[in-house]
Amino acid sequence: MDDLNLQQRTAAAAPDGPLLVVAGAGTGKTKTLAYRVAHLISQNVDPARIMLLTFSRRASGEMLRRAAAVVSALPGGRAGSRAGVEQVWGGTFHSIANRLLRTYGGAVGLDPNFTVMDQPDAEDLIHLVRYEKGFSSSKKRFPKKGTCLAIYSRCVNSGDPLEETLPAYFPWCAEWREPLKELFKAYVDAKQARNVLDYDDLLLFWFYLLGDPHLAEQMEDRFDHILVDEYQDTNRLQARIIQRMRRRNHNLTAVGDDAQSIYSFRAAEVRNILEFPQQFPGTTQIVLEQNYRSIQPILDATNQLIALAQERYTKDLWSERAGGQKPNLVTCEREEDQTDFVVEKVLEHYEQGIPLRKQAVLFRTGHWADHLEVELTRRNIPYRKFGGLKFLEASHVKDLLAFLRVLENPRDQLAWNRLLNLLDGVGPAIASRCYEFVGAHGGDPRTLVDFPAPTAAREAFCQLGALFGELLGAGSLLPVASEVERIRAFYDPLFERLYENPEPRRRDLEHLEAIARAYPSRQTFLTDLTLDPPNVTGDFAGAPALDDDWLTLSTIHSAKGCEWDVVYLIHASDGILPNDLSTGDAAQIEEERRLLYVACTRARDRLYVTHPVRYNVKKGSLRDAHTYAQLTRFIPPGVRSFFELQSRAQGCTTDSAATVLRLADIRSAIRSMWG
């Protein structure tokens, strides 16, 4: 415990009962939670009876890695093996739900061999149901598949009925309320018929299983302690699950920061952390305020910024890093001036010895970085922008996984459709007949060899049936990587025909095969990839090489949890931050304030907040389409005094500290005009 400060130590060694740790930005939240796990194990709590819920598998792995290091160092090596810590039930809400459903779901008739759909597959299924219901051919345009799934998911996770969700978040779809209800009922039936679950089902089934007294008692008694990270990001359904898991045993640790609750668009509910003491009576509350990331002048500004929030846990972050400069608030005449300023500062700090990878440009939404991206490209400055197509959303990766999904769950019609449509001469009608044929023959994929396929596709069906015969004939002992290898041999000629420039895509498939080597079963491989997918193949490459340098461009939402030596927050203007679509009520405005706070607290040494007075509103237009904006309302004069004020116009930077003339001089001169 000597590695912890007083507040961290108090939290890590807190007695049994409900515990809320309000951890400010950069205050060592992950370290504290890891030590909490290690402390429980040192007190003879069985690691297999501890549940650690996080919002990413990587976060869970990092905490357990740290906890294992602490436990291993205990005198006598108490449970000192890292294997002991590995028994902790660590993972995301969805991954833990998946494990529990496969264990307890059979009691209510849930087939434990269900497969989990990712979001694109769920959209495809809801589109199929939408088509079968005839909604896609209505005279007025029915909501698209992505919108339909978003509405469905919002209702599930927020607990709000469709009647309230549509006018609040999807007002343009309000006229479709009754057809949407019909669609969602049919979507639920379609999932059940195919033995597939989507992300929302994992939480829903967990919640409803906890409604059975016998199953609820079994699941609650299985865990002596439950710890939840980033509690401010939980939605209403997740909070209700936690409440049901802790009805008799009140050993619950929640760690989070209300000031960093910025995911309401995913149905995250800040009230879960604000009302935690009321939901769990007898809560011990500990606040972490010592910041290990930022210099004090940055914290002075961010403390003032969040102090204006209407409702919050009171905390004032402080740091032993007392020196440094105030953050800079830079007013630019045009968007072009803002870009020039940022690029010049990036290069200036680079020349001072700060690598590009330790600098980041943040923005409210992705398109506000368009102008900057063009200039970075022109100047040959390498950068990475967080967002875009994820690894598992790539068509060729989904193609290969479809083979495994059919092997795992022959009732998965979406996987069948994707797989069969790869074959030359096969369209939706033939794929549908084939799916029905296999279903009528016991769901055995090997029966493809007997399917009466058209002459042009006959050989392909025989080869595919033979592949399934080889894989299933080898039994369940065949390693997943070997299955992927054999599937790739079959898929390769199809792959060459379907995709231009196949070499970069082939490397993705090689990565997929390499990942498979770490998994003991096909089921765990598919489930882990679906529940916690990598963004890019680079996620598997480990730490970057010392000479692998790039500037980070990121939305504020994607930057949460990260830190850089230098941060540039661009377009800090009213209408952008807060976004003009997020000013409908006080709760939305408060979340936008927290978004600005999150952005500013990512900086360690230097923070630049810029806003152009004049910016373009119509990209690529032949005419000069622009508008004028004011500085964000979240930095009023009282907060502004904690920034160093600068202005940028026509390639020149004006530093207020170096200016001799003062506002009082100008006002005096104007007043003297009138005697």
Side-chain angles (χ1 to χ4, degrees):
M1 292 291 186
D2 290 344
D3 289 339
L4 306 180
N5 64 39
L6 177 60
Q7 287 72 31
Q8 291 173 331
R9 191 159 54 247
T10 303
D16 288 354
L19 169 67
L20 175 63
V21 181
V22 181
T27 56
K29 166 183 67 68
T30 299
K31 183 177 183 179
T32 303
L33 201 51
Y35 269 75
R36 175 71 172 161
V37 172
H39 172 75
L40 293 174
I41 295 174
S42 75
Q43 298 302 304
N44 297 316
V45 176
D46 184 350
R49 298 182 61 80
I50 299 174
M51 178 189 289
L52 173 62
L53 289 164
T54 63
F55 279 84
S56 74
R57 185 174 57 185
R58 186 169 294 179
S60 172
E62 172 63 14
M63 288 182 199
L64 294 181
R65 184 190 65 77
R66 293 193 188 190
V70 176
V71 170
S72 298
L74 291 174
R78 158 73 193 105
S81 64
R82 293 175 181 267
V85 176
E86 289 171 1
Q87 296 176 35
V88 172
W89 278 56
T92 65
F93 273 88
H94 295 92
S95 65
I96 295 295
N98 172 70
R99 291 179 65 181
L100 291 172
L101 293 185
R102 296 191 191 276
T103 303
Y104 297 100
V108 295
L110 178 65
D111 186 341
N113 292 321
F114 65 82
T115 51
V116 183
M117 297 187 294
D118 60 14
Q119 183 170 326
D121 287 333
E123 290 180 1
D124 288 344
L125 182 56
I126 210 167
H127 178 67
L128 178 63
V129 176
R130 178 177 173 267
Y131 175 80
E132 291 174 346
K133 285 288 184 181
F135 295 141
S136 59
S137 59
S138 59
K139 292 182 180 179
K140 297 182 70 175
R141 191 171 66 129
F142 193 78
K144 293 183 178 180
K145 62 181 182 180
T147 303
C148 292
L149 186 65
I151 296 171
Y152 174 87
S153 185
R154 179 87 203 187
C155 292
V156 168
N157 289 286
S158 68
D160 294 330
L162 187 62
E163 291 78 4
E164 295 178 13
T165 300
L166 288 178
Y169 300 98
F170 305 91
W172 62 93
C173 302
E175 63 178 302
W176 299 103
R177 186 182 68 183
E178 293 307 317
L180 283 169
K181 283 186 176 180
E182 184 180 349
L183 173 66
F184 295 155
K185 289 177 184 176
Y187 173 59
V188 171
D189 292 340
K191 288 185 290 184
Q192 293 174 354
R194 292 162 175 79
N195 193 33
V196 295
L197 303 183
D198 61 20
Y199 290 150
D200 300 322
D201 287 328
L202 294 171
L203 299 183
L204 278 175
F205 271 82
W206 187 5
F207 175 76
Y208 283 116
L209 285 180
L210 289 167
D212 179 271
H214 177 66
L215 292 177
E217 183 176 338
Q218 281 190 309
M219 280 190 271
E220 182 174 9
D221 289 348
R222 184 164 189 155
F223 302 101
D224 293 333
H225 285 266
I226 295 178
L227 302 89
V228 187
D229 186 27
E230 304 285 12
Y231 200 78
Q232 78 281 351
D233 293 336
T234 55
N235 59 45
R236 204 172 299 166
L237 177 58
Q238 290 165 331
R240 289 171 177 171
I241 288 171
I242 295 300
Q243 290 167 14
R244 286 190 170 188
M245 288 289 290
R246 298 286 84 173
R247 279 184 281 207
R248 294 177 298 110
N249 179 336
H250 303 299
N251 292 336
L252 171 65
T253 299
V255 180
D257 182 8
D258 55 297
Q260 297 187 69
S261 178
I262 59 174
Y263 293 116
S264 67
F265 66 93
R266 296 180 188 165
E269 177 57 73
V270 68
R271 303 227 62 80
N272 289 340
I273 190 169
L274 291 175
E275 296 174 359
F276 186 93
Q278 290 74 47
Q279 294 169 351
F280 300 95
T283 292
T284 299
Q285 185 174 315
I286 299 171
V287 180
L288 305 184
E289 294 181 304
Q290 183 174 356
N291 180 283
Y292 294 92
R293 174 186 301 156
S294 305
I295 60 173
Q296 190 61 46
I298 291 177
L299 296 179
D300 290 338
T302 54
N303 284 338
Q304 292 297 315
L305 192 157
I306 201 63
L308 299 177
Q310 297 299 308
E311 189 176 8
R312 70 185 185 106
Y313 286 109
T314 302
K315 55 185 174 299
D316 289 309
L317 302 186
W318 60 275
S319 172
E320 293 181 346
R321 303 182 65 215
Q325 299 182 3
K326 284 184 177 182
N328 294 78
L329 181 59
V330 185
T331 301
C332 303
E333 181 182 356
R334 306 168 304 154
E335 189 173 9
E336 293 83 352
D337 297 320
Q338 175 182 253
T339 294
D340 289 342
F341 175 81
V342 170
V343 172
E344 288 172 14
K345 283 296 178 182
V346 166
L347 295 175
E348 178 183 319
H349 287 303
Y350 179 77
E351 291 299 323
Q352 293 170 352
I354 302 176
L356 295 178
R357 64 179 176 273
K358 292 188 177 182
Q359 303 185 55
V361 182
L362 308 184
F363 32 83
R364 177 62 175 82
T365 50
H367 67 87
W368 289 116
D370 289 352
H371 190 275
L372 177 62
E373 286 188 73
V374 171
E375 185 64 14
L376 291 172
T377 302
R378 190 184 71 81
R379 299 203 191 191
N380 200 28
I381 299 174
Y383 69 90
R384 288 190 182 180
K385 187 175 183 181
F386 283 77
L389 187 67
K390 293 184 178 180
F391 177 60
L392 292 187
E393 292 174 3
S395 297
H396 52 292
V397 175
K398 293 180 72 66
D399 289 346
L400 195 143
L401 291 177
F403 289 85
L404 296 175
R405 289 175 54 189
V406 166
L407 287 168
E408 188 64 23
N409 176 18
R411 290 159 57 188
D412 189 340
Q413 187 178 9
L414 289 176
W416 271 112
N417 287 346
R418 184 172 200 99
L419 171 57
L420 294 173
N421 279 285
L422 296 173
L423 306 181
D424 198 13
V426 177
I430 297 175
S432 180
R433 290 206 308 271
C434 179
Y435 174 74
E436 293 172 0
F437 177 86
V438 173
H441 289 76
D444 188 344
R446 291 172 288 192
T447 60
L448 280 177
V449 295
D450 300 320
F451 175 67
T455 304
R458 180 66 189 158
E459 184 180 354
F461 272 89
C462 288
Q463 292 175 348
L464 182 57
L467 171 68
F468 284 132
E470 180 185 1
L471 295 174
L472 292 172
S476 58
L477 297 179
L478 191 66
V480 188
S482 296
E483 290 186 339
V484 175
E485 181 183 10
R486 298 186 190 190
I487 291 169
R488 283 188 61 199
F490 175 87
Y491 176 59
D492 198 57
L494 304 177
F495 172 75
E496 295 276 359
R497 174 174 58 83
L498 291 169
Y499 299 105
E500 296 180 0
N501 189 25
E503 284 308 312
R505 296 174 183 265
R506 183 172 281 109
R507 285 195 289 273
D508 289 343
L509 301 182
E510 292 169 357
H511 276 294
L512 200 63
E513 185 176 335
I515 300 165
R517 296 192 188 104
Y519 284 86
S521 72
R522 185 194 313 127
Q523 183 186 90
T524 56
F525 175 62
L526 289 173
T527 301
D528 272 9
L529 285 182
T530 302
L531 295 182
D532 194 11
N535 287 327
V536 293
T537 54
D539 284 1
F540 310 116
L546 292 176
D547 60 348
D548 191 9
D549 203 12
W550 67 85
L551 176 70
T552 295
L553 307 186
S554 175
T555 63
I556 302 172
H557 286 102
S558 296
K560 185 172 174 290
C562 301
E563 62 179 57
W564 294 272
D565 289 357
V566 185
V567 169
Y568 311 85
L569 173 62
I570 62 175
H571 285 291
S573 305
D574 241 49
I576 299 176
L577 190 62
N579 187 290
D580 53 9
L581 298 178
S582 301
T583 55
D585 57 43
Q588 290 180 333
I589 293 175
E590 286 301 295
E591 177 158 331
E592 293 290 302
R593 186 194 311 277
R594 296 193 293 269
L595 201 58
L596 175 61
Y597 174 79
V598 167
C600 293
T601 52
R602 301 308 94 198
R604 287 176 45 80
D605 302 318
R606 296 300 302 268
L607 171 64
Y608 299 91
V609 178
T610 68
H611 80 104
V613 175
R614 177 184 183 274
Y615 62 93
N616 300 326
V617 295
K618 197 168 186 179
K619 307 292 183 183
S621 174
L622 293 177
R623 61 191 183 87
D624 185 18
H626 64 272
T627 188
Y628 293 91
Q630 295 180 332
L631 176 66
T632 174
R633 70 189 71 179
F634 302 136
I635 306 181
V639 177
R640 218 171 297 166
S641 62
F642 289 85
F643 287 81
E644 188 70 42
L645 305 181
Q646 292 180 251
S647 63
R648 174 76 181 220
Q650 300 295 328
C652 299
T653 301
T654 302
D655 188 340
S656 61
T659 304
V660 177
L661 187 64
R662 292 288 178 260
L663 179 61
D665 301 327
I666 298 175
R667 286 175 172 168
S668 177
I670 295 174
R671 191 180 301 110
S672 67
M673 292 170 60
W674 311 103

